[in-house]
Amino acid sequence: MTRRTTRRIRDVMSPAAVAVEPMTTVARAARLMREEDVGDVLVTYDCDLFGLLTDRDIVLRSVADGRDPDATTVGSVCTPPPVVTLTPEDTTDRAVELMRRHAVRRLPVVEHGGVPVGVVTLGDLALTEDPHSALADITTAAPDH
């Protein structure tokens, strides 16, 4: 029987996550996501976490509602506060627990005081927990643009 090792979030998170301010347009945020090849951006204001904008938020809260992406701000469509977060010292077990409880696939990582320092995703956890799983394979595959 293989013993699973619990790791700290700082060891598995994606550091230096892409961040935008609440007044950024949805169109600009979408272009940043494409350029950086990410599915989310942190929404920050004065170095504090305001929300999290995902590609799904853009589709469901902006495009599907017929809102103009060049006039709609990310602050009006992002996942609003309070955002579920982790600290770099939390464990991967805690991340899994929070993702299950809140039905989310991404969690911002914040230092004490709420300053965002990264993001941990379901894919990050899949690579850590079972690098040979189908989800880990999908996570490491090159995107089909």
Side-chain angles (χ1 to χ4, degrees), residues 17-19 33 37-42 52-55 106 119 121:
V18 179
M33 287 179 177
D37 194 26
V38 295
D40 61 84
V41 293
L42 299 175
L52 178 70
L53 179 74
T54 67
D55 44 12
R106 302 167 175 101
V119 173
T121 67

Side-chain angles (χ1 to χ4, degrees), residues 13-121:
M13 71 180 199
S14 300
V18 179
V20 297
E21 292 186 339
M23 296 309 293
T24 304
T25 66
V26 168
R28 176 69 185 129
R31 285 190 298 274
L32 275 172
M33 287 179 177
R34 180 183 61 202
E35 290 164 10
E36 298 294 327
D37 194 26
V38 295
D40 61 84
V41 293
L42 299 175
V43 181
T44 59
Y45 186 73
D46 286 339
C47 296
D48 291 326
L49 185 63
F50 176 85
L52 178 70
L53 179 74
T54 67
D55 44 12
R56 189 170 200 276
D57 293 330
I58 291 172
V59 171
L60 297 180
R61 296 183 182 151
S62 181
V63 176
D65 285 345
R67 296 171 84 174
D68 179 357
D70 287 312
T72 304
T73 64
V74 298
S76 67
V77 296
C78 69
T79 302
V83 178
V84 179
T85 62
L86 294 165
T87 70
E89 298 306 311
D90 279 322
T91 65
T92 53
D93 286 346
R94 174 90 173 124
V96 170
E97 172 196 334
L98 288 173
M99 286 180 179
R100 279 188 181 133
R101 184 182 325 147
H102 297 281
V104 295
R105 294 178 174 96
R106 302 167 175 101
L107 293 168
V109 181
V110 297
E111 292 280 340
H112 300 291
V115 177
V117 294
V119 173
V120 66
T121 67

